[in-house]
Amino acid sequence: NSNKITMASSSSSSPNLLTLILDVTPSTWGQRKIIRSAKDKALAAKNKSSAGPATLMDDVLTAILALGVSFSCLNRDNALVVIAATEYEAAVIYPRKGGEGCMEDVVMGG
């Protein structure tokens, strides 16, 4: 009796759609930085260490890239949509119009 590991083929599982909505409102990100700076100053006054750097948009985009690649690896037919939203508008930033380009190009400004 031998043990066998069987992997399901990507064609046997149905594709999934992952939609990410990212708040890119400049005031929100600026406010986050101000709040973090104030907390860091208060901690420094008490001789305590910082909670770490504020999360920057670049860090979030890098994480989205990693998530998108991982999600695509689960099933080659999976689809990803990234929507950027502000207070006044929203736009699909991935996939690009016409379906050209890859997630890395969108995130890294290609």
Side-chain angles (χ1 to χ4, degrees):
N1 210 359
S2 63
N3 292 330
K4 292 184 181 179
I5 298 174
T6 308
M7 306 235 358
S9 70
S10 63
S11 62
S12 67
S13 60
S14 57
N16 294 293
L17 171 65
L18 174 62
T19 303
L20 301 173
I21 302 172
L22 180 61
D23 180 359
V24 294
T25 307
S27 60
T28 301
W29 289 92
Q31 186 68 21
R32 289 171 57 93
K33 188 173 180 179
I34 291 168
I35 290 169
R36 177 54 64 96
S37 294
K39 286 181 180 180
D40 284 347
K41 286 180 184 177
L43 288 170
K46 296 177 184 179
N47 290 327
K48 294 185 177 180
S49 61
S50 167
T55 303
L56 302 174
M57 182 64 76
D58 289 346
D59 298 332
V60 171
L61 293 175
T62 299
I64 288 173
L65 174 61
L67 176 66
V69 169
S70 298
F71 181 70
S72 296
C73 288
L74 294 173
N75 182 335
R76 66 185 230 165
D77 295 326
N78 280 351
L80 173 67
V81 175
V82 181
I83 300 170
T86 67
E87 296 173 19
Y88 305 106
E89 63 184 314
V92 174
I93 60 172
Y94 182 82
R96 290 187 173 168
K97 194 172 191 173
E100 294 182 14
C102 65
M103 184 68 176
E104 185 174 5
D105 291 342
V106 173
V107 171
M108 299 306 182

Coordinates of all heavy atoms in Angstrom, one line a residue, residues 20-87:
L20 N -10.2 43.7 -5.4 CA -9.7 44.5 -4.4 C -10.0 46.0 -4.6 O -9.8 46.5 -5.7 CB -8.1 44.4 -4.4 CG -7.6 43.0 -4.2 CD1 -6.1 42.9 -4.3 CD2 -8.0 42.5 -2.8
I21 N -10.5 46.7 -3.6 CA -10.8 48.1 -3.7 C -9.8 48.8 -2.8 O -9.8 48.6 -1.6 CB -12.3 48.4 -3.3 CG1 -13.2 47.6 -4.2 CG2 -12.5 49.9 -3.4 CD1 -14.6 47.6 -3.9
L22 N -9.0 49.7 -3.3 CA -8.0 50.4 -2.6 C -8.3 51.9 -2.5 O -8.6 52.5 -3.5 CB -6.7 50.2 -3.4 CG -5.4 50.9 -2.8 CD1 -5.1 50.3 -1.4 CD2 -4.3 50.7 -3.7
D23 N -8.4 52.3 -1.2 CA -8.7 53.8 -1.0 C -7.4 54.5 -1.2 O -6.4 54.3 -0.5 CB -9.2 54.0 0.5 CG -9.4 55.4 0.8 OD1 -9.2 56.3 -0.1 OD2 -9.9 55.7 1.9
V24 N -7.3 55.3 -2.2 CA -6.1 56.1 -2.6 C -6.3 57.6 -2.3 O -5.6 58.4 -2.9 CB -5.7 55.8 -4.0 CG1 -5.2 54.4 -4.2 CG2 -6.8 56.2 -5.0
T25 N -7.3 57.9 -1.5 CA -7.5 59.3 -1.2 C -6.2 59.9 -0.5 O -5.8 59.4 0.5 CB -8.7 59.4 -0.2 OG1 -9.8 58.8 -0.7 CG2 -9.0 60.9 0.1
P26 N -5.7 60.9 -1.1 CA -4.4 61.5 -0.6 C -4.5 62.0 0.8 O -3.6 61.8 1.6 CB -4.1 62.7 -1.5 CG -4.8 62.4 -2.8 CD -6.1 61.6 -2.4
S27 N -5.7 62.6 1.2 CA -5.8 63.0 2.6 C -5.8 61.9 3.6 O -5.3 62.0 4.7 CB -7.1 63.9 2.7 OG -8.2 63.1 2.4
T28 N -6.3 60.7 3.2 CA -6.3 59.6 4.1 C -4.9 59.1 4.4 O -4.5 58.9 5.5 CB -7.1 58.4 3.5 OG1 -8.4 58.8 3.2 CG2 -7.1 57.2 4.3
W29 N -4.1 59.0 3.3 CA -2.7 58.6 3.5 C -1.9 59.6 4.2 O -1.0 59.3 5.0 CB -2.1 58.2 2.1 CG -2.7 57.0 1.6 CD1 -3.8 56.8 0.8 CD2 -2.3 55.6 1.9 NE1 -4.1 55.5 0.6 CE2 -3.2 54.8 1.3 CE3 -1.3 55.1 2.7 CZ2 -3.1 53.4 1.4 CZ3 -1.2 53.7 2.8 CH2 -2.1 52.9 2.1
G30 N -2.1 60.9 4.0 CA -1.4 62.0 4.7 C -1.8 62.0 6.2 O -0.9 62.1 7.0
Q31 N -3.1 61.7 6.4 CA -3.6 61.7 7.8 C -2.9 60.5 8.6 O -2.5 60.7 9.7 CB -5.1 61.6 7.9 CG -5.7 61.6 9.2 CD -5.6 63.0 9.9 OE1 -5.4 64.0 9.2 NE2 -5.7 63.1 11.2
R32 N -2.8 59.4 7.9 CA -2.1 58.2 8.5 C -0.7 58.6 9.0 O -0.3 58.2 10.0 CB -2.1 57.0 7.6 CG -3.5 56.4 7.3 CD -3.4 55.4 6.2 NE -2.4 54.3 6.5 CZ -2.7 53.2 7.0 NH1 -3.9 52.9 7.4 NH2 -1.8 52.3 7.2
K33 N 0.0 59.3 8.1 CA 1.4 59.6 8.4 C 1.5 60.6 9.6 O 2.3 60.4 10.5 CB 2.0 60.2 7.2 CG 3.5 60.5 7.3 CD 4.1 60.9 6.0 CE 5.6 61.1 6.2 NZ 6.2 61.5 4.9
I34 N 0.5 61.6 9.6 CA 0.5 62.5 10.7 C 0.2 61.8 12.1 O 0.9 62.1 13.1 CB -0.5 63.6 10.4 CG1 -0.1 64.5 9.3 CG2 -0.8 64.5 11.7 CD1 -1.1 65.4 8.7
I35 N -0.8 60.9 12.0 CA -1.1 60.2 13.3 C 0.0 59.4 13.7 O 0.4 59.3 14.9 CB -2.4 59.4 13.1 CG1 -3.6 60.3 12.9 CG2 -2.6 58.4 14.2 CD1 -4.9 59.5 12.4
R36 N 0.7 58.7 12.8 CA 1.8 57.8 13.2 C 3.0 58.6 13.8 O 3.6 58.3 14.8 CB 2.3 57.0 12.0 CG 3.5 56.1 12.2 CD 3.4 55.2 13.4 NE 2.4 54.2 13.2 CZ 2.6 53.0 12.8 NH1 3.8 52.6 12.5 NH2 1.6 52.2 12.6
S37 N 3.2 59.8 13.2 CA 4.3 60.7 13.7 C 4.0 61.1 15.1 O 4.9 61.2 15.9 CB 4.5 61.9 12.7 OG 5.0 61.4 11.5
A38 N 2.8 61.5 15.3 CA 2.4 62.0 16.7 C 2.5 60.8 17.7 O 3.0 61.1 18.8 CB 0.9 62.5 16.6
K39 N 2.1 59.6 17.3 CA 2.3 58.5 18.2 C 3.7 58.2 18.5 O 4.1 57.9 19.7 CB 1.6 57.2 17.7 CG 0.1 57.3 17.7 CD -0.5 56.0 17.2 CE -2.0 56.1 17.2 NZ -2.6 54.8 16.7
D40 N 4.6 58.3 17.5 CA 6.0 58.0 17.6 C 6.6 59.1 18.6 O 7.5 58.7 19.4 CB 6.7 58.0 16.3 CG 6.5 56.8 15.5 OD1 6.0 55.8 16.1 OD2 6.8 56.7 14.3
K41 N 6.2 60.3 18.5 CA 6.8 61.4 19.3 C 6.3 61.1 20.8 O 7.1 61.3 21.7 CB 6.3 62.8 18.9 CG 7.0 63.3 17.6 CD 6.5 64.6 17.2 CE 7.1 65.0 15.9 NZ 6.6 66.3 15.4
A42 N 5.1 60.7 21.0 CA 4.6 60.4 22.3 C 5.4 59.2 22.9 O 5.7 59.3 24.1 CB 3.1 60.2 22.3
L43 N 5.6 58.2 22.1 CA 6.4 57.1 22.6 C 7.8 57.5 22.9 O 8.4 57.0 23.9 CB 6.3 56.0 21.6 CG 5.0 55.2 21.4 CD1 5.1 54.3 20.2 CD2 4.7 54.4 22.7
A44 N 8.4 58.3 22.1 CA 9.8 58.7 22.3 C 9.9 59.5 23.6 O 10.9 59.4 24.3 CB 10.3 59.6 21.1
A45 N 8.9 60.3 23.9 CA 8.9 61.1 25.1 C 8.9 60.2 26.4 O 9.3 60.6 27.4 CB 7.7 62.1 25.2
K46 N 8.3 59.0 26.2 CA 8.3 58.0 27.3 C 9.4 57.0 27.3 O 9.4 56.0 27.9 CB 6.9 57.3 27.3 CG 5.7 58.1 27.5 CD 4.5 57.3 27.4 CE 3.2 58.2 27.5 NZ 2.0 57.4 27.3
N47 N 10.4 57.3 26.4 CA 11.5 56.4 26.2 C 11.1 55.1 25.7 O 11.7 54.1 26.1 CB 12.4 56.4 27.4 CG 13.2 57.6 27.7 OD1 13.5 58.3 26.8 ND2 13.3 58.0 29.0
K48 N 10.1 55.0 24.9 CA 9.6 53.8 24.3 C 9.9 53.8 22.8 O 10.0 54.8 22.2 CB 8.1 53.5 24.5 CG 7.8 53.3 26.0 CD 6.4 53.0 26.2 CE 6.0 52.8 27.6 NZ 4.6 52.5 27.8
S49 N 10.1 52.6 22.2 CA 10.4 52.6 20.8 C 9.2 52.8 19.9 O 8.0 52.6 20.4 CB 11.0 51.2 20.5 OG 10.1 50.2 20.7
S50 N 9.5 53.2 18.7 CA 8.4 53.4 17.7 C 7.6 52.1 17.4 O 8.2 51.0 17.5 CB 9.0 54.0 16.5 OG 8.1 54.0 15.4
A51 N 6.4 52.3 17.0 CA 5.6 51.2 16.6 C 6.0 50.7 15.2 O 5.5 49.8 14.6 CB 4.1 51.6 16.6
G52 N 6.9 51.5 14.6 CA 7.4 51.1 13.2 C 6.9 52.2 12.2 O 6.2 53.0 12.5
P53 N 7.4 52.1 11.0 CA 7.1 53.1 10.0 C 5.6 53.0 9.6 O 5.0 51.9 9.7 CB 8.0 52.7 8.8 CG 8.3 51.3 9.0 CD 8.3 51.0 10.5
A54 N 5.1 54.1 9.2 CA 3.7 54.1 8.7 C 3.6 53.3 7.4 O 4.6 53.2 6.7 CB 3.2 55.5 8.5
T55 N 2.5 52.7 7.2 CA 2.3 51.9 6.0 C 2.2 52.9 4.8 O 1.4 53.8 4.8 CB 1.0 51.1 6.0 OG1 1.1 50.2 7.2 CG2 0.9 50.2 4.8
L56 N 3.1 52.7 3.9 CA 3.2 53.6 2.7 C 2.4 53.0 1.5 O 2.3 51.7 1.5 CB 4.6 53.9 2.3 CG 5.5 54.5 3.4 CD1 6.9 54.6 2.9 CD2 4.9 55.9 3.8
M57 N 2.0 53.8 0.6 CA 1.3 53.3 -0.6 C 2.2 52.3 -1.3 O 1.7 51.3 -1.8 CB 0.9 54.4 -1.5 CG 0.1 54.0 -2.7 SD -1.5 53.3 -2.4 CE -2.4 54.7 -2.0
D58 N 3.5 52.5 -1.4 CA 4.4 51.6 -2.1 C 4.3 50.2 -1.4 O 4.3 49.2 -2.1 CB 5.8 52.1 -2.1 CG 6.0 53.3 -3.0 OD1 5.2 53.6 -3.8 OD2 7.1 53.9 -2.8
D59 N 4.3 50.2 -0.1 CA 4.2 48.9 0.6 C 2.9 48.2 0.3 O 2.9 47.0 0.1 CB 4.3 49.1 2.1 CG 5.6 49.7 2.5 OD1 6.6 49.5 1.8 OD2 5.7 50.4 3.6
V60 N 1.8 48.9 0.3 CA 0.5 48.3 0.0 C 0.5 47.8 -1.4 O 0.0 46.7 -1.7 CB -0.6 49.4 0.2 CG1 -2.0 48.8 -0.3 CG2 -0.7 49.7 1.7
L61 N 1.0 48.5 -2.4 CA 1.0 48.1 -3.8 C 1.9 46.8 -3.9 O 1.6 45.9 -4.7 CB 1.5 49.2 -4.7 CG 0.5 50.4 -4.8 CD1 1.1 51.5 -5.6 CD2 -0.8 49.9 -5.3
T62 N 3.0 46.8 -3.2 CA 3.9 45.6 -3.3 C 3.1 44.4 -2.7 O 3.2 43.3 -3.3 CB 5.2 45.8 -2.5 OG1 5.9 46.9 -3.1 CG2 6.1 44.6 -2.5
A63 N 2.4 44.6 -1.6 CA 1.6 43.5 -1.1 C 0.5 43.0 -2.0 O 0.2 41.8 -2.2 CB 1.0 43.9 0.3
I64 N -0.1 44.0 -2.7 CA -1.2 43.6 -3.7 C -0.6 42.8 -4.8 O -1.2 41.9 -5.3 CB -1.9 44.9 -4.2 CG1 -2.8 45.5 -3.1 CG2 -2.7 44.6 -5.5 CD1 -3.4 46.8 -3.5
L65 N 0.6 43.2 -5.3 CA 1.3 42.5 -6.3 C 1.6 41.0 -5.9 O 1.3 40.1 -6.6 CB 2.6 43.1 -6.7 CG 3.5 42.4 -7.7 CD1 2.9 42.2 -9.0 CD2 4.9 43.2 -7.8
A66 N 2.0 40.9 -4.7 CA 2.3 39.5 -4.2 C 1.0 38.7 -4.1 O 1.0 37.5 -4.4 CB 3.0 39.6 -2.8
L67 N 0.0 39.3 -3.6 CA -1.3 38.7 -3.5 C -1.9 38.3 -4.8 O -2.4 37.2 -5.0 CB -2.3 39.5 -2.7 CG -3.8 39.0 -2.6 CD1 -3.8 37.7 -1.8 CD2 -4.7 40.0 -2.1
G68 N -1.8 39.2 -5.8 CA -2.2 38.9 -7.1 C -1.5 37.8 -7.8 O -2.2 36.9 -8.4
V69 N -0.2 37.7 -7.6 CA 0.6 36.6 -8.2 C 0.2 35.3 -7.5 O 0.0 34.3 -8.2 CB 2.1 36.9 -8.1 CG1 2.9 35.7 -8.4 CG2 2.5 38.1 -9.0
S70 N 0.1 35.3 -6.2 CA -0.3 34.1 -5.5 C -1.7 33.6 -5.9 O -1.9 32.4 -6.1 CB -0.2 34.4 -4.0 OG 1.1 34.7 -3.6
F71 N -2.6 34.5 -6.0 CA -4.0 34.2 -6.4 C -4.0 33.6 -7.8 O -4.7 32.6 -8.0 CB -4.8 35.4 -6.3 CG -6.3 35.2 -6.7 CD1 -7.1 34.5 -5.8 CD2 -6.8 35.7 -7.8 CE1 -8.4 34.3 -6.1 CE2 -8.1 35.5 -8.2 CZ -9.0 34.8 -7.3
S72 N -3.2 34.1 -8.7 CA -3.1 33.6 -10.0 C -2.5 32.2 -10.1 O -2.9 31.4 -10.9 CB -2.3 34.5 -10.9 OG -3.0 35.8 -11.1
C73 N -1.6 31.9 -9.2 CA -0.9 30.6 -9.1 C -1.9 29.5 -8.6 O -1.7 28.4 -8.9 CB 0.3 30.7 -8.2 SG 1.7 31.6 -8.9
L74 N -2.9 29.9 -7.9 CA -3.9 28.9 -7.4 C -4.6 28.2 -8.6 O -5.0 27.1 -8.5 CB -4.8 29.5 -6.4 CG -4.2 30.0 -5.1 CD1 -5.3 30.7 -4.3 CD2 -3.6 28.8 -4.3
N75 N -4.9 29.1 -9.6 CA -5.7 28.6 -10.7 C -5.4 29.5 -11.9 O -5.7 30.7 -11.7 CB -7.2 28.5 -10.4 CG -8.0 27.9 -11.6 OD1 -7.6 28.0 -12.7 ND2 -9.2 27.4 -11.2
R76 N -4.9 29.0 -13.0 CA -4.5 29.9 -14.0 C -5.7 30.7 -14.6 O -5.5 31.7 -15.3 CB -3.8 29.2 -15.1 CG -4.6 28.2 -15.8 CD -3.8 27.4 -16.8 NE -4.5 27.4 -18.1 CZ -3.9 27.1 -19.2 NH1 -2.7 26.7 -19.2 NH2 -4.6 27.1 -20.3
D77 N -6.9 30.2 -14.4 CA -8.1 30.9 -14.9 C -8.7 31.9 -13.9 O -9.7 32.6 -14.2 CB -9.2 29.9 -15.3 CG -8.8 29.0 -16.4 OD1 -8.0 29.6 -17.3 OD2 -9.1 27.8 -16.5
N78 N -8.1 32.1 -12.7 CA -8.5 33.0 -11.7 C -8.4 34.4 -12.3 O -7.5 34.7 -13.1 CB -7.7 33.0 -10.4 CG -8.2 31.8 -9.5 OD1 -9.2 31.2 -9.8 ND2 -7.4 31.6 -8.5
A79 N -9.3 35.3 -11.9 CA -9.3 36.7 -12.4 C -9.1 37.7 -11.2 O -9.7 37.4 -10.1 CB -10.5 37.0 -13.2
L80 N -8.4 38.7 -11.4 CA -8.2 39.7 -10.4 C -8.6 41.1 -11.0 O -8.2 41.4 -12.1 CB -6.7 39.8 -10.0 CG -6.2 40.9 -9.1 CD1 -6.8 40.7 -7.7 CD2 -4.7 40.9 -9.0
V81 N -9.3 41.9 -10.2 CA -9.6 43.2 -10.5 C -9.2 44.1 -9.4 O -9.5 43.8 -8.2 CB -11.2 43.4 -10.8 CG1 -11.5 44.8 -11.0 CG2 -11.6 42.5 -11.9
V82 N -8.5 45.2 -9.7 CA -8.1 46.2 -8.6 C -8.7 47.5 -9.0 O -8.5 48.0 -10.1 CB -6.5 46.3 -8.5 CG1 -6.1 47.3 -7.5 CG2 -5.9 44.9 -8.3
I83 N -9.4 48.0 -8.0 CA -10.1 49.3 -8.2 C -9.5 50.3 -7.2 O -9.4 50.0 -6.0 CB -11.6 49.2 -8.0 CG1 -12.2 48.1 -8.9 CG2 -12.3 50.5 -8.0 CD1 -13.6 47.7 -8.6
A84 N -9.1 51.5 -7.8 CA -8.6 52.6 -6.9 C -9.8 53.5 -6.7 O -10.5 53.9 -7.7 CB -7.5 53.3 -7.6
A85 N -10.0 53.9 -5.5 CA -11.1 54.8 -5.2 C -10.7 56.0 -4.3 O -9.8 55.9 -3.5 CB -12.2 54.1 -4.4
T86 N -11.3 57.2 -4.6 CA -11.1 58.4 -3.8 C -12.4 58.8 -3.3 O -13.4 58.1 -3.6 CB -10.4 59.5 -4.6 OG1 -11.3 59.9 -5.6 CG2 -9.1 59.1 -5.3
E87 N -12.5 60.0 -2.7 CA -13.8 60.5 -2.3 C -14.8 60.7 -3.4 O -16.0 60.6 -3.2 CB -13.6 61.8 -1.5 CG -12.8 61.6 -0.2 CD -12.4 63.0 0.4 OE1 -13.1 64.0 0.1 OE2 -11.5 63.0 1.2

